[in-house]
Amino acid sequence: MEKIDNNKISSWWLLVPTSFLYIITFFIPLITLLVMSFSRFESSVTTVGFYLDNYEKILTDGITLKIFFQTVELSLMITLFCLLLGYPVAMLMRRVGPKARLWILLLVVSPLLTSIIVRNVAWVLILGRSGMINDLLISWGLISKPLPLMYNAFGVVLAVVHVYLSFMVLPLFAALSSINNSLEEAAASLGAKPLSIFFNVTLPLSLPGIMAGCTLVFILSMGVYLTPVIMGGNFVVTLPMLIEDAVRNRYNWPEASAMALLLLVAIGIMIVISSSIQKWVKS
Amino acid sequence: MSNIQLKNLTKKYGSFNAVDSINLSIKNGEFVTLLGPSGCGKTTTLRMVAGFIKPTSGDLIIGGSNMVGVPPQNRKVGLVFQNYALFPHMSVRKNVAFGLKMKKMQQSLIAEKVNKILETVQLQELSERMPSELSGGQQQRVALARALVIEPEVLLLDEPFGALDKNLRDHMRIELRDLQRKLNISTIFVTHDQDEALSMSDRIVVMENGKICQIGSPSEIYENPASVFVAGFLGLSNIFSAVCTKIIRAKKTIEFEGLTIEIESEKLNKSDKISIMIRPENIQIYKKKNDSKKEDFLGFIKSKIYLGSTIQYQVKIKDGPVILINANNSKILNYQDFDTNEEVRVHLSKNAIYPII
Amino acid sequence: MGKKLMSNLEGYRSLWPRRILVIFSSLVLFFLTAPLVILIIQSFTNESYLSFPPPTYGTRWYTEVIYSEDWQNATFLSLTIAIIVTPLSLVLGTLVAFGLERGPKKGKQTIQAIMISPMVLPHIVLGLGLFKIALQFNISDSLWAFVPAHLTITIPFVIVTVGASLQTFNISLEEAARSLGASKFWAVWYITLPIISPGLIAGAIFSFIISFDEFIITFFLATFQRTLPLEMFSTLMYQVKPSIAAVSALTLAITAILTVVLMFRGQVVGGGKIIK
Ligand SMILES: Nc1ncnc2c1ncn2[C@@H]1O[C@H](COP(=O)(O)OP(=O)(O)OP(=O)(O)O)[C@@H](O)[C@H]1O
Ligand SMILES: [Mg+2]
């Protein structure tokens, strides 16, 4: 075992300012939430202690848990669509020349440079009751009443996929471009058909990228608040919306904290699952 | 321009000795080469001298003052890296001027010094180019100029010609040595190319496993290697284990691989087990039919490799070992050509056999 | 045999996937970019309602937005926060990246994971926790709350981008500078930083845009103050007016211009034309 070099360990001083910031803005808030989640909230008074009231409530009131699973379902749907849309783009990026690749990359990351709210506004203008699509379809006489494109799960999924697709394409592309071309060519030279090459060589080898992209998009989707509010109206409710409501409207910090921890646990489980799948794939 | 002393210099990584208690003294203006196989600690030694690695123990004295603990920028050491380490975002001129700028030298003085050194390395015309626009040899010269312009007391070079092709390397060798002589700057040169070491050095330090095996001039190291390792590392050689069987004053009879031969040596005692080295160029072979001397051995050509100025034969000696022989291929000496499987006579003179005790 | 092999390779390389792949990917890229283009076009409507294509064009809504005090205040606040956050986050994140890269290899992975963990924490959770702390310190609704909160989510991006370029940086360049008489600080200043500037610039762009765009954390922390995203949100909740399209197009322009400027500077520095 190499001994830690004193010379090198002094470099860790450089982490001190940020660590200090994190303690105040990251660790203490998280610990506070943890403590709060075990506190009791009765007639607008919070009592610190070790109570399981909040967890009991969110697990048994029938609504919170239902919305939690809705959020999970929505996130899985978003992740799946991101994968289905993102994989072909990443594959194309790998096949084309460096110049075309740069252009595609630019287009893929360009949404990252624009604000989420701006992108949501764009979708409102396209999908809304008097949005572009309904306008055009009505003026062409194809429909008489506006189609419900927004204020439902469809609109939310579409808009969130638009926001997070870049986060899927980047890890996929990284994984795909690290696959050696000659592996696929070797399979081809052995007479394998393109489809079977894809399923037997390309897809398994890109699995780490798929897992990374899916985990990232799932985590991001679980925490998404803005897009469901704008695109879902009050018809699509997610756990983050419940959290916001509990604090801003009911001042029920303990319950909000417990829901936040539920969210963190779900994300933690997802990370554990994906890393154990990756380990399993490696072996 | 200053003498350097390494006293028991040691670097440990955990319990592993990368450099193990090295003692070396380098005179003013001397050109010393560290030579050895990969991983023997050459770079580590050099980087300790430069100040990038702190020695675990031992002393490093440059120009009379102990340098242990002195940061690299205060050591007056010029360093040339294997990959040149030219600053990619600066022109040739800015690269060379960097060290002077760090000394807060006057702008006009900097320009003067930079021009002078660029002229010395013949790079005046390329001074506004970026490093990426230079050939390997040109980049090498910029690196050299950059290290020399600050007038260091010591010049350190870590495999500076590693990335160059053979011709350029030979050329740069001569250029570097001329420049070093002209500036009379104490130099430590690291290489694992034996030709480079032999042709350039005042002295060669052969290292193995973090230790020094032998220090000496190129001819000493080549002709009188101190160990089998040194003999094997420098140049081609035939090395056999031998036993001394008979002593008549300075005349000693030794036996190896079924052959018996008489050599002259002061040190050898009876029954000593030793190694002997025979350089391939010191062995002669003749056509079999020529009048044979008694002490010659008979054998036949096992293989033949054409090397241009020499021809390398492997000869199997009758009731003896296979031996490597380099025969001169000069058309003006009375050279002879042999075919594979041809029977030959092998002449081993006493002086050709060097006992390693 | 050889012929069959060739045709198989050809088939693999070109025929089937290529066309479908190109068509499908083009549709996806269209999906990614078209909404923004449509938004920009709609923002130039001269009517009092939004429609596509707009019946008449003009800059009426831009004028209204630019002269509106609410929008001015929101933009000013957002820019102020982003302009404070970007350099701070760049400095702090770069220090961390250096510390991790130059520190002992042992434990590096764990510490790095901790330092970038705010990245995977949902902002709603972070916002909730920060809100509680800010209430405790009685600093909510002020820059004292907004800036540290934004720093917490921007620093990880700087650590990642700068860390990536530091990994490919050849340390012997810095050592060469040291041997030429530069102290550690000046060697980093003159050599390392200019060479890793693409990473620094990417970190700066990310920091600015993330801060400028941040919604939910600021939403928790703000009571009366309104950043641009907050103002846009409340307007949007109230009514979808052309002004919202104009503001969106303007923020898009701000971030795009900033990105181009920073990238251009990066290229110039990276190309070695600028050395200070
Ligand atoms: N940071 C380190 N930690 C542990 N061991 C190290 C470290 N640096 C070098 N070593 C070990 O020290 C020994 C000497 O390394 P060094 O780089 O000096 O070799 P070298 O003679 O320059 O070899 P080469 O000819 O390949 O450049 C090697 O065995 C190497 O593995
Ligand atoms: Mg080395």
Side-chain angles (χ1 to χ4, degrees):
Chain A
M1 227 1 8
E2 189 195 335
K3 239 178 47 191
I4 290 187
D5 205 328
N6 282 339
N7 235 339
K8 286 185 161 180
I9 211 160
S10 62
S11 302
W12 279 350
W13 280 108
L14 300 173
L15 310 187
V16 168
T18 303
S19 306
F20 189 70
L21 176 79
Y22 277 7
I23 288 174
I24 297 173
T25 61
F26 186 59
F27 296 112
I28 292 184
L30 283 184
I31 292 167
T32 310
L33 289 188
L34 186 68
V35 171
M36 287 288 248
S37 74
F38 289 106
S39 305
R40 176 168 278 173
F41 185 75
E42 251 172 353
S43 45
S44 300
V45 179
T46 305
T47 328
V48 178
F50 189 81
Y51 305 101
L52 291 173
D53 301 17
N54 308 301
Y55 289 101
E56 208 182 302
K57 176 166 182 282
I58 60 177
L59 293 180
T60 56
D61 69 357
I63 297 174
T64 317
L65 210 57
K66 189 173 149 239
I67 287 176
F68 168 73
F69 284 119
Q70 262 178 27
T71 313
V72 172
E73 202 182 323
L74 204 67
S75 301
L76 288 176
M77 217 143 82
I78 291 164
T79 310
L80 181 70
F81 277 111
C82 278
L83 182 62
L84 291 180
L85 294 186
Y87 202 96
V89 177
M91 257 174 80
L92 184 69
M93 276 170 76
R94 178 178 167 226
R95 297 265 177 94
V96 295
K99 209 157 196 176
R101 183 178 308 145
L102 193 70
W103 277 109
I104 299 177
L105 190 68
L106 222 62
L107 288 179
V108 167
V109 298
S110 66
L112 286 183
L113 302 179
T114 58
S115 124
I116 291 180
I117 211 161
V118 171
R119 280 178 278 172
N120 285 335
V121 169
W123 283 113
V124 172
L125 300 185
I126 292 170
L127 299 179
R129 272 183 70 83
S130 53
M132 183 188 102
I133 291 181
N134 280 324
D135 260 13
L136 290 181
L137 290 180
I138 289 173
S139 72
W140 292 337
L142 290 175
I143 51 172
S144 51
K145 274 201 306 200
L147 292 174
L149 299 170
M150 245 178 80
Y151 302 126
N152 52 27
F154 170 78
V156 175
V157 171
L158 191 76
V160 180
V161 166
H162 184 245
V163 171
Y164 291 146
L165 189 56
S166 321
F167 290 101
M168 181 65 90
V169 175
L170 293 181
L172 281 179
F173 172 62
L176 279 172
S177 55
S178 69
I179 299 177
N180 199 334
N181 268 326
S182 58
L183 284 176
E184 289 161 333
E185 279 167 16
S189 72
L190 294 172
K193 290 273 170 302
L195 257 184
S196 86
I197 295 176
F198 175 76
F199 282 109
N200 290 314
V201 182
T202 317
L203 195 62
L205 285 174
S206 62
L207 210 57
I210 295 177
M211 290 313 299
C214 287
T215 313
L216 190 62
V217 170
F218 180 84
I219 291 173
L220 290 169
S221 310
M222 283 295 288
V224 73
Y225 168 83
L226 195 55
T227 311
V229 173
I230 295 176
M231 301 296 296
N234 285 325
F235 300 98
V236 180
V237 182
T238 61
L239 195 59
M241 286 162 79
L242 285 189
I243 296 176
E244 194 267 342
D245 173 65
V247 169
R248 304 265 298 197
N249 300 333
R250 295 189 280 124
Y251 305 103
N252 190 340
W253 280 92
E255 193 186 325
S257 306
M259 287 192 280
L261 280 162
L262 182 65
L263 198 61
L264 288 187
V265 168
I267 288 170
I269 291 175
M270 181 65 188
I271 291 176
V272 170
I273 291 176
S274 91
S275 64
S276 53
I277 289 182
Q278 275 182 6
K279 261 192 206 125
W280 175 75
V281 166
K282 257 187 203 153
S283 63
Chain B
M1 278 173 285
S2 192
N3 63 335
I4 310 163
Q5 278 173 292
L6 282 57
K7 289 184 180 166
N8 295 320
L9 207 61
T10 302
K11 177 68 196 177
K12 290 186 180 192
Y13 290 110
S15 58
F16 171 72
N17 287 334
V19 172
D20 195 354
S21 196
I22 278 189
N23 284 293
L24 176 65
S25 173
I26 298 168
K27 293 191 283 287
N28 281 356
E30 198 179 14
F31 192 109
V32 170
T33 299
L34 303 184
L35 179 68
S38 188
C40 70
K42 306 180 295 284
T43 299
T44 308
T45 308
L46 205 69
R47 288 166 60 80
M48 282 195 280
V49 176
F52 295 119
I53 297 179
K54 207 172 153 218
T56 310
S57 61
D59 286 316
L60 169 75
I61 290 150
I62 300 179
S65 43
N66 198 333
M67 285 290 158
V68 174
V70 176
Q73 66 266 30
N74 301 337
R75 288 202 181 191
K76 304 199 173 151
V77 162
L79 191 54
V80 177
F81 293 80
Q82 174 168 9
N83 57 12
Y84 318 133
L86 296 184
F87 307 137
H89 58 303
M90 298 184 185
S91 66
V92 168
R93 174 176 297 282
K94 293 237 159 83
N95 259 282
V96 175
F98 185 83
L100 301 175
K101 196 174 129 193
M102 286 299 112
K103 283 187 173 171
K104 307 222 160 49
M105 203 174 268
Q106 254 183 358
Q107 211 62 44
S108 54
L109 199 56
I110 292 183
E112 191 183 313
K113 288 198 179 227
V114 169
N115 284 336
K116 197 164 149 231
I117 195 85
L118 284 177
E119 203 173 312
T120 316
V121 296
Q122 298 162 20
L123 281 173
Q124 311 94 301
E125 289 93 55
L126 306 180
S127 66
E128 297 310 323
R129 293 235 193 130
M130 301 305 283
S132 59
E133 298 162 347
L134 299 177
S135 74
Q138 290 163 343
Q139 290 183 31
Q140 179 61 69
R141 288 210 288 268
V142 178
L144 206 56
R146 188 179 69 178
L148 289 173
V149 75
I150 57 170
E151 294 168 13
E153 296 186 348
V154 180
L155 181 63
L156 306 176
L157 305 113
D158 192 353
E159 300 192 32
F161 308 143
L164 304 181
D165 68 44
K166 171 106 177 58
N167 281 336
L168 197 52
R169 192 188 287 220
D170 292 347
H171 177 71
M172 286 300 298
R173 237 188 246 177
I174 297 167
E175 242 177 67
L176 170 63
R177 192 64 226 265
D178 284 350
L179 198 59
Q180 187 267 341
R181 282 215 181 89
K182 202 161 85 188
L183 300 171
N184 191 35
I185 179 168
S186 315
T187 302
I188 305 181
F189 181 87
V190 163
T191 182
H192 49 218
D193 182 326
Q194 34 172 304
D195 288 346
E196 238 164 63
L198 290 171
S199 64
M200 298 176 75
S201 323
D202 290 324
R203 278 192 302 157
I204 296 176
V205 177
V206 184
M207 294 178 65
E208 188 193 12
N209 293 334
K211 290 199 178 72
I212 292 181
C213 304
Q214 189 175 6
I215 306 180
S217 71
S219 63
E220 273 166 20
I221 300 264
Y222 188 79
E223 284 160 26
N224 306 323
S227 67
V228 173
F229 170 76
V230 177
F233 193 74
L234 259 102
L236 290 168
S237 54
N238 297 288
I239 295 171
F240 304 106
S241 358
V243 167
C244 180
T245 52
K246 207 163 91 190
I247 304 183
I248 306 168
R249 269 180 244 112
K251 284 201 167 120
K252 324 269 160 117
T253 306
I254 55 167
E255 272 184 34
F256 65 94
E257 308 255 345
L259 303 183
T260 307
I261 206 160
E262 198 172 79
I263 59 167
E264 283 179 22
S265 164
E266 295 297 324
K267 295 176 222 158
L268 225 46
N269 294 318
K270 191 162 177 197
S271 304
D272 275 357
K273 287 190 168 55
I274 57 165
S275 294
I276 57 164
M277 176 195 80
I278 313 166
R279 292 287 185 197
E281 66 271 22
N282 292 340
I283 309 171
Q284 288 156 298
I285 43 177
Y286 303 101
K287 296 275 182 198
K288 195 187 168 196
K289 57 180 182 278
N290 290 16
D291 54 338
S292 59
K293 289 181 195 146
K294 214 171 60 224
E295 66 267 28
D296 287 351
F297 300 105
L298 289 179
F300 68 92
I301 306 277
K302 235 184 118 202
S303 72
K304 173 181 178 181
I305 302 170
Y306 184 80
L307 293 176
S309 65
T310 59
I311 297 178
Q312 195 177 83
Y313 297 102
Q314 275 191 306
V315 176
K316 167 77 177 115
I317 293 178
K318 199 177 154 205
D319 300 325
V322 176
I323 211 167
L324 201 63
I325 298 171
N326 267 354
N328 203 310
N329 193 21
S330 165
K331 302 290 176 206
I332 54 172
L333 297 176
N334 56 340
Y335 91 105
Q336 283 172 305
D337 198 6
F338 303 93
D339 296 323
T340 319
N341 287 329
E342 187 175 341
E343 297 211 28
V344 291
R345 234 164 15 84
V346 177
H347 178 69
L348 273 176
S349 86
K350 279 179 206 152
N351 321 341
I353 297 169
Y354 177 77
I356 303 169
I357 301 162
Chain C
M1 171 66 206
K3 216 171 193 178
K4 176 146 184 271
L5 195 149
M6 277 316 291
S7 76
N8 235 327
L9 278 179
E10 292 274 297
Y12 159 68
R13 282 218 187 94
S14 54
L15 288 176
W16 88 271
R18 195 82 192 209
R19 253 170 245 164
I20 303 172
L21 213 55
V22 169
I23 293 169
F24 188 87
S25 303
S26 309
L27 287 176
V28 173
L29 294 175
F30 178 77
F31 164 75
L32 276 178
T33 44
L36 300 172
V37 176
I38 291 167
L39 171 88
I40 293 171
I41 295 173
Q42 294 203 3
S43 73
F44 284 102
T45 184
N46 230 9
E47 309 295 320
S48 54
Y49 58 92
L50 282 164
S51 59
F52 188 85
T56 52
Y57 290 92
T59 52
R60 159 180 171 193
W61 292 102
Y62 283 91
T63 320
E64 178 172 322
V65 162
I66 287 168
Y67 288 107
S68 143
E69 203 164 306
D70 283 348
W71 288 116
Q72 276 175 9
N73 289 342
T75 311
F76 182 73
L77 180 61
S78 276
L79 280 177
T80 309
I81 298 173
I83 286 169
I84 298 173
V85 164
T86 304
L88 273 178
S89 140
L90 196 60
V91 170
L92 291 173
T94 304
L95 286 180
V96 172
F98 265 89
L100 287 171
E101 180 66 25
R102 303 289 161 84
K105 293 282 161 286
K106 209 171 162 184
K108 177 187 164 183
Q109 290 252 308
T110 318
I111 296 177
Q112 173 155 11
I114 294 172
M115 298 309 279
I116 63 174
S117 58
M119 229 173 180
V120 293
L121 191 76
H123 289 182
I124 182 97
V125 177
L126 192 62
L128 189 66
L130 280 169
F131 185 28
K132 187 78 199 164
I133 300 297
L135 286 176
Q136 226 97 60
F137 284 106
N138 207 6
I139 52 165
S140 70
D141 211 27
S142 77
L143 286 181
W144 292 108
F146 300 149
V147 170
H150 285 200
L151 279 176
T152 312
I153 54 170
T154 56
I155 286 175
F157 283 88
V158 178
I159 297 177
V160 169
T161 55
V162 175
S165 44
L166 263 185
Q167 249 170 17
T168 59
F169 173 76
N170 181 357
I171 188 91
S172 61
L173 292 177
E174 210 176 289
E175 293 177 346
R178 302 282 312 272
S179 77
L180 292 169
S183 67
K184 203 159 192 162
F185 176 80
W186 290 118
V188 169
W189 183 259
Y190 283 117
I191 307 301
T192 317
L193 292 184
I195 292 173
I196 63 164
S197 60
L200 295 171
I201 292 193
I205 291 175
F206 271 119
S207 296
F208 187 92
I209 286 169
I210 290 168
S211 165
F212 198 69
D213 180 28
E214 209 298 313
F215 175 76
I216 187 69
I217 297 176
T218 324
F219 185 53
F220 271 118
L221 294 175
T223 16
F224 300 111
Q225 300 242 41
R226 284 211 184 139
T227 60
L228 205 47
L230 295 192
E231 185 70 40
M232 283 167 81
F233 180 72
S234 63
T235 311
L236 199 59
M237 287 295 96
Y238 173 64
Q239 196 189 1
V240 182
K241 281 202 307 183
S243 59
I244 197 91
V247 177
S248 300
L250 279 177
T251 61
L252 212 156
I254 291 178
T255 45
I257 288 170
L258 181 94
T259 310
V260 169
V261 166
L262 279 178
M263 284 211 293
F264 178 68
R265 277 212 54 167
Q267 215 168 30
V268 174
V269 174
K273 306 284 178 334
I274 287 182
I275 317 148
K276 287 243 172 71

